[in-house]
Amino acid sequence: MKLDFILNFDIVIVGSGIAGLVSTKEAVKTGKNICLITNGNFGGGASYFPLKGTLGIQSTLNNEDREKFLEDIKNIGNKMENEDLIKTYINEIPDNISSLKEIGFEPWLRNDRRPACFAKYPRDIYLIKDWEKAREKGKEIFSNFENLKIFENTSIVKIIKDNEKIIGGIFKNKDKFFGISSPIIILATGGIAGNFKHKLYPEDVNGIGHIVALDSGAEVQNMEFIQFIPGFLKPKYNTLFGEHTLKYCEGMFDLNNNLIFDGINNPENKNLWIERSGYAPFSFDFESHKIDLKMIKSLDNEGVILKYSKDLYKDEGEFYKVYLSWLKDTMGIDMCKDEVIITPFVHSCNGGIKINNNSETSVKGLYAVGEISSCIEGANRLGGNSVGGSLVFGKRAIISAINYLKNSDFKEYSLLDFQLKFNDWLDSLIDGKNILSENEILTKLKAITSKACNIKRNEKVLNTSLKEIENLKNNFSIKENIKSKGLEIYLRLEVTKMLILSMLERKESRGAHYREDYPYSLDDTYKIILSRKNNNFIVKILKI
């Protein structure tokens, strides 16, 4: 496949969500020649997905809160978190909230003192909203930078190295491929939710950045810890369900209106419903995970019905009033009058590319920020931390990158250099027969991922799904579809394989990871590390 041209930049940032834009804003301040790549339009990914009325960022309250904040994050991380990164976050997040204004948002401090999801202690929580307004403001801000080039509707397919250092990447725009020569690549491509059927994320957040990073020599960890949050199937599909309403739930029913699980009027279940109303994602670490397991017994029937007490609309708490008003005014949903059908939707990924305090991967010149990185999260994610991590570590990535540039003797590489390395990689890929179309592959991929990698997992289904992935690869030609989605589909198939391998290796249940064949947590703790060599995965267990 011929490359059309090659460009030269000092720093390339891939992804235009909050993590990518904060990194880009810091980078242009340095006066270096910067390139921003986004696989959709400017201001994309999960950051600009209208999931709910507002999005929160948790910030350290004061000096006394530092130890409490650390306790909160470590408790919910359940020994899978990265303590050094957490301490950096706690120390630096208060000074980084202003970064949101620099990219077009208008954050404000929430009035109530309600602790964030999974948190024990209350602290400052800043809110943002008005995604379209922020995107338009961001476009205006970033259009004024003369040292910034933006490529929309462009995706990364390969990172190029020489002498174990980053020298650039291969990118695809429509049916054209081109190279960018650069000593620095900062990946901010987000998580993996696009490979599932039901997701509270955009389609293009599909995890291909993870595989691109792995193929360059980076490692990923904690990929089995994926958040699943109940979302509406009806009355309005793909809308966030408010978990705090569950303490007013009178019962869970199947789609034939048969009772599955008694609600708050049953004294034996009341405390479970109250506990489950305090956090959004599924977590095995709470007894109320039994409610989620009841829900997923009916997954084949696409969801469960919840019925509510009218007392729900009498609650004067700010959180209830804001959420219920948003549901009614924006989504046209009344929880008591409408038939409410929910099912687990995939949300954020707690694991990702291994980084250090400066967002550096194990590959010289390669950085990861935002959800693609394994940052401060563990087996669970504390509410309000994902955007904050993007602010802190997006800025740190640029500080480190500039220092790297100062000590680098980087030379510009030619189009021929890149063409030869691209050809070598394409030749190394095992191609299948051109039997299944791109749409057929993607539909089957989502079905496999949604079945094997959902809340309930077991060895038999995971192993069967690995074989199904290989079967899809054997019946799809990368090269005959290369000008369309051939490479994207190959990379997405590898994403699901990466998830399955991680889930197979963790033979216990912990946090967001549940194995029905291992429904308990082990005393011995370990992290699952994945790398790649010659297009194959290598699984490593790191005891902690």
Side-chain angles (χ1 to χ4, degrees), residues 22-33:
V22 166
S23 299
T24 302
K25 185 63 166 60
E26 289 300 310
V28 296
K29 293 177 185 177
T30 68
K32 298 295 184 181
N33 196 20

Side-chain angles (χ1 to χ4, degrees), residues 278-327:
Y279 61 93
F282 168 82
S283 176
F284 179 77
D285 299 337
F286 295 82
E287 186 180 2
S288 51
H289 78 268
K290 295 175 182 177
I291 292 175
D292 297 81
L293 297 185
K294 290 287 185 180
M295 183 196 312
I296 60 178
K297 280 190 175 181
S298 297
L299 272 181
D300 292 339
N301 295 323
E302 284 294 287
V304 295
I305 298 171
L306 298 183
K307 297 183 180 181
Y308 280 88
S309 164
K310 292 181 179 179
D311 289 341
L312 171 63
Y313 282 88
K314 297 177 184 177
D315 196 308
E316 292 298 315
E318 181 183 13
F319 211 71
Y320 288 87
K321 292 169 70 174
V322 170
Y323 175 71
L324 294 174
S325 295
W326 174 73
L327 275 188

Side-chain angles (χ1 to χ4, degrees), residues 18 24-25 29 44 84-85 166 178 218 230 296 343 440 540:
I18 288 176
T24 302
K25 185 63 166 60
K29 293 177 185 177
D84 287 346
L85 276 69
I166 298 295
F178 65 96
I296 60 178
T343 199
E440 287 173 326
K540 179 176 69 176

Side-chain angles (χ1 to χ4, degrees), residues 195 206-208 211 430 436 440-446 448-449 465-466 468-478 485-500 532 537:
N195 293 311
N206 53 33
I208 66 173
I211 305 302
I430 299 175
L436 295 173
E440 287 173 326
I441 284 281
L442 288 174
T443 298
K444 291 178 181 293
L445 171 63
K446 289 179 183 179
I448 292 170
T449 314
S465 297
L466 280 179
E468 291 173 341
I469 291 292
E470 291 305 310
N471 186 54
L472 291 183
K473 290 165 68 174
N474 291 334
N475 288 282
F476 178 74
S477 173
I478 301 168
K485 295 181 179 179
L487 284 175
E488 176 191 324
I489 287 174
Y490 162 73
L491 292 168
R492 290 178 70 164
L493 288 167
E494 295 299 289
V495 169
T496 293
K497 189 173 181 179
M498 170 183 67
L499 299 180
I500 292 173
R532 272 168 70 91
F537 287 98

Side-chain angles (χ1 to χ4, degrees), residues 121-138:
Y121 303 104
R123 58 186 51 87
D124 286 347
I125 295 180
Y126 290 85
L127 299 176
I128 54 176
K129 63 176 182 177
D130 298 330
W131 320 117
E132 287 302 321
K133 180 180 177 182
R135 182 185 286 111
E136 292 305 313
K137 181 64 175 177

